[in-house]
Every structure is written in C-alpha cells, then in structure tokens.
Amino acid sequence: MELGLDTATAGLAQVMGVYFGRRGGMERWSRVLDAALPAAERLGDRRAAAWLTYRRGIARQFSGRAAEASADYRAARALMAEAGDRDGEEMALQRLAERQMDDGCFEEAIDLLRQAADLQPEATTTQGHVVTRARIGHALVQLGRFAEAHEAATEAVKTARDIDNLHLETMALRVHGAVALGTGDASGALELFRTALAQTRATGHRIAEALSLTDIAVAARALGRVVEALDHHAEALRIIHETGERLRAAPILIPYGETCLAAGDRGEAARHLRQAFDLATTLGLRHLEAEARRVLAAMDLEPGGDPADG
C-alpha cells in the first residue's frame, strides 16, 4: 500500500506543474515536489528522483529562489547521468546555462551549453541542436564576440529549417539581429527583427512576439525613430500583461525605460526601470538587475523610491 501511495505521489507531483505554472503558483509546486522526492527515493526510482529534482529547480527558478534552483539542476544532472538519461542530462545543462546567463556569467554558460551539445545525438537533428546553438550565439553577443555569434546563429537557422521548426528559427533570427545591431547595422537588424516578429505571429507564441517587438523598438531607437520605438515597446508590454506573464517583464521594461529616456521622458523611464529592477531582484536575475541599476545610475537615480520619481 505504501509503495502504491509513493508511486502516485511521485507521478502526481510531476504533472501538477502545468496546473501551478498556469496560475503562477510555482512556490506551491515546489512544496509539492519537496514532499514527492522522498517518495521517489523510497521507491528506489533514481530516474523519477532526477526528474522531480529537475522540476523543483524550475519551480524554484520562477519563484525567486535562483541559487536553490541552480543546486537542483546540478543534482538533477548528476542523477540523470547515473541513470544514463542523456536527454535529461542535456536539459539540466541547458537550465544551468540559463541560470549562468541570468547571473551575467556568459563564458560559464557557453561552457555548459557546449557540454550539452556533446550529449546530443550526431546522427539525428533535434530541437536541442537549435536551442543550444542559438543560446551560445546569444551569450557570444553579450561578450561582443559577434563573428562567432553569427556563425552559431547561422547554424541554428539552418538546423531549424531542416527540421521545419518556425519557432526555433525565430529564436536564431533574433541572434542574427542582435549581431547586426551590435556591429552597427541597425537597418539590417530591423529587417531581421521584423522577419522574426512575423514568424512569431505565425506560430502564436505571445512571449516571443513581445520580445521581437522589443527588439524592433531597440533597432528603431538606434535609427532615431523614437516615436515608432515607443509604440512597439507599449505593444510588447501590453502582451505581457494580457498573457499574465508578469515575471517575464524585466527584459521588456529595461529597453522601454531607455527609449523613454531617449524621448526625454525621465518619469516614465524611471518607472519602467525601477519596476524592472524590482522584478529582477525578486527573481534573482542579477544581469538584468545590474542593467536596470546601470541605467538608473546614469540618470543619477537610485533603484528605490517612488517608481515615477524621475
């Protein structure tokens, strides 16, 4: 009877993530997983324990417990390696790399992503191939290594087209756009970002749509088209509010604040940047927290205080 209950507990905890995720209840899901892990251990099911630990990492990551999430991903990776679960080990490495990028540790993220790539099957092209190379490209852009980023993004686009995955192709196109923007080709970046936007709308991925609108706004601002940029920022933020994905807002709000500043609206700039800072701090997104702080400091403002005080 106890084994049957343990089996049910471990299984139920894994599927409840959909329920809690849609309702923003990641902290509650984390507690469910806390209770389920001993059940998996009593069953001697190392693979179930690995996946429960991995999913607890996700729950902790999106409830502001970043350091604990990283610890869970490391533990899950070790358990998956013991169980011979290469797909699971690769996914844990992807999450660890994401956490490193959240902390602004891009070299470390690239190393983890290359370890993930080593686990991918050589004979079969998978979605993981595209995601890994696109993320490596993104990290390289952050380091200013644009030629390498272009190479990674080109490979990612080709692979996404080979497997006919428009959403992942869009992910890689955004890296291409970031390379163009970083090398001074704002017009080329704008065209790439517009293509990415059209593709996100075709796939119906609303968060990617908001990110693409933000990309377009940044490129438009670089071209001096500030009013157009503000319109795109406003639409991106509206999508975030409509989807209820408030925790995804920080990378939308920081460039919005910078464009408001370029338009001479210090009050709106301060409001968006302080909101971004608060969100990034809550979620443990150190890189975005530092970015928001940097722009506020350039305005001679502190992160705290009245959000509208510019």
Side-chain angles (χ1 to χ4, degrees):
M1 178 67 179
E2 184 177 350
L3 287 178
L5 181 60
D6 283 342
T7 302
T9 300
L12 183 61
Q14 300 224 41
V15 301
M16 285 180 77
V18 176
Y19 173 83
F20 285 126
R22 287 177 177 170
R23 288 159 177 79
M26 287 296 187
E27 186 59 48
R28 292 170 65 192
W29 188 33
S30 178
R31 291 197 295 271
V32 170
L33 291 162
D34 283 340
L37 269 164
E41 289 163 2
R42 284 193 295 271
L43 288 166
D45 190 337
R46 303 288 284 172
R47 191 171 187 278
W51 281 101
L52 287 167
T53 303
Y54 172 81
R55 291 187 170 96
R56 187 175 65 180
I58 296 172
R60 286 174 164 176
Q61 181 177 351
F62 290 101
S63 57
R65 298 163 65 183
E68 292 171 275
S70 294
D72 275 341
Y73 293 142
R74 284 191 291 271
R77 183 210 174 174
L79 287 167
M80 287 165 172
E82 287 177 17
D85 187 343
R86 289 172 67 90
D87 289 342
E89 189 180 355
E90 179 199 337
M91 290 173 68
L93 282 164
Q94 292 275 4
R95 287 288 183 179
L96 277 168
E98 185 179 312
R99 282 289 311 117
Q100 290 294 323
M101 286 192 277
D102 286 344
D103 285 345
C105 301
F106 296 105
E107 292 281 9
E108 292 84 349
I110 290 169
D111 180 60
L112 289 164
L113 289 165
R114 286 178 173 153
Q115 290 179 53
D118 289 341
L119 292 167
Q120 293 164 354
E122 294 183 9
T124 306
T125 301
T126 66
Q127 293 185 14
H129 286 80
V130 186
V131 172
T132 303
R133 283 146 189 82
R135 285 180 169 169
I136 287 172
H138 171 74
L140 288 165
V141 166
Q142 301 302 311
L143 294 169
R145 291 158 58 180
F146 296 116
E148 294 170 78
H150 181 272
E151 184 179 343
T154 298
E155 186 178 352
V157 168
K158 180 184 181 302
T159 306
R161 288 173 178 168
D162 287 345
I163 63 174
D164 195 25
N165 191 312
L166 195 60
H167 172 60
L168 293 181
E169 181 183 336
T170 300
M171 183 179 180
L173 277 176
R174 291 186 61 227
V175 178
H176 265 311
V179 169
L181 195 61
T183 53
D185 183 9
S187 294
L190 186 60
E191 290 308 307
L192 285 162
F193 291 147
R194 282 176 171 163
T195 301
L197 176 63
Q199 292 183 181
T200 61
R201 285 175 170 165
T203 60
H205 197 296
R206 301 302 309 284
I207 301 302
E209 181 181 357
L211 291 169
S212 291
L213 282 163
T214 298
D215 291 337
I216 289 171
V218 172
R221 186 216 306 154
L223 291 167
R225 292 150 58 173
V226 176
V227 174
E228 177 187 339
L230 287 170
D231 287 342
H232 289 306
H233 282 305
E235 187 177 357
L237 192 57
R238 177 181 57 77
I239 289 170
I240 292 295
H241 290 154
E242 285 178 356
T243 57
E245 295 278 1
R246 187 184 68 86
L247 298 181
R248 307 262 193 150
I252 307 290
L253 287 164
I254 293 171
Y256 196 172
E258 291 176 304
T259 302
C260 288
L261 187 59
D265 191 341
R266 285 177 56 89
E268 278 296 281
R271 184 170 71 87
H272 292 315
L273 290 162
R274 282 174 169 149
Q275 287 177 357
F277 179 85
D278 289 345
L279 273 173
T281 302
T282 297
L283 292 172
L285 307 176
R286 294 179 184 172
H287 176 61
L288 293 176
E289 178 185 331
E291 278 295 294
R293 186 189 292 276
R294 176 187 63 78
V295 183
L296 284 164
M299 297 171 65
D300 293 322
L301 294 174
E302 293 293 330
D306 185 341
D309 179 13

